[in-house]
Amino acid sequence: MDHITDRILQELSRNGRISNIDLAERVGLSPSACLRRVQELERRGVIAGYRAVLDRGARGIGFVAYATVGLNAHTKAAQEAFERAMAAAPEVVECHNITGAVEYLLRIEVADLPAYKSFHTDIIGTLPQVHSITSYVVMGSPKDARA
């Protein structure tokens, strides 16, 4: 990896739909050299894929929260059961197994506060392996570089 490859990756992470000609111009390569580098990055798995950045408001999602979840048993079975439940919950857009006082950090996106309360009570709150839930409501996101 060199500085040109880093620039290619930065440009693609900002705009995965940029044309090869525009990308080549921005990073200072010929279009053919740029295309070869991008294809090699894809082949090696450095570029794992491309995705669309969706507008939550346009999709009716007006409420975002992070929640930490502690389990009542520190077993593989408890973790697997919890992870299966979160994989099946469309409200959960991220589920991270973390270190610290709790086992999981979730990013939850729903329409509004009543929808979050319903998810909290009817989904997470009914899982037998859940010991604790702490919610953190997102009031704004001055920086969000996720694609």
Side-chain angles (χ1 to χ4, degrees):
M1 298 272 242
D2 60 14
H3 76 282
I4 293 177
T5 299
D6 286 340
R7 290 181 57 204
I8 289 171
L9 294 172
Q10 288 172 358
E11 290 295 332
L12 287 173
S13 68
R14 281 189 209 106
N15 179 4
R17 293 182 58 138
I18 189 171
S19 73
N20 183 60
I21 292 172
D22 289 341
L23 179 60
E25 183 178 307
R26 288 187 186 182
V27 301
L29 289 175
S30 69
S32 60
C34 185
L35 182 59
R36 278 193 303 274
R37 283 194 187 223
V38 170
Q39 289 172 334
E40 178 62 16
L41 290 166
E42 291 170 345
R43 188 191 65 73
R44 290 183 17 221
V46 175
I47 298 174
Y50 300 89
R51 34 178 96 149
V53 177
L54 307 177
D55 183 306
R56 286 189 306 273
R59 294 177 40 233
I61 296 170
F63 189 90
V64 177
Y66 285 88
T68 59
V69 178
L71 302 184
N72 56 20
H74 301 283
T75 65
K76 185 175 183 175
Q79 286 184 331
E80 289 174 344
F82 179 78
E83 289 173 10
R84 278 192 306 275
M86 294 305 94
E91 300 89 346
V92 176
V93 296
E94 295 179 34
C95 176
H96 305 280
N97 184 218
I98 59 173
T99 63
V102 295
E103 286 75 33
Y104 289 92
L105 174 66
L106 308 177
R107 180 179 172 96
I108 302 156
E109 297 181 355
V110 292
D112 51 25
L113 181 58
Y116 180 72
K117 183 179 186 311
S118 176
F119 172 78
H120 184 283
T121 304
D122 300 335
I123 305 296
I124 297 179
T126 63
L127 297 173
Q129 60 274 20
V130 171
H131 169 69
S132 65
I133 307 164
T134 303
S135 300
Y136 301 90
V137 175
V138 174
M139 296 183 349
S141 299
K143 180 177 181 179
D144 186 348
R146 292 170 300 121

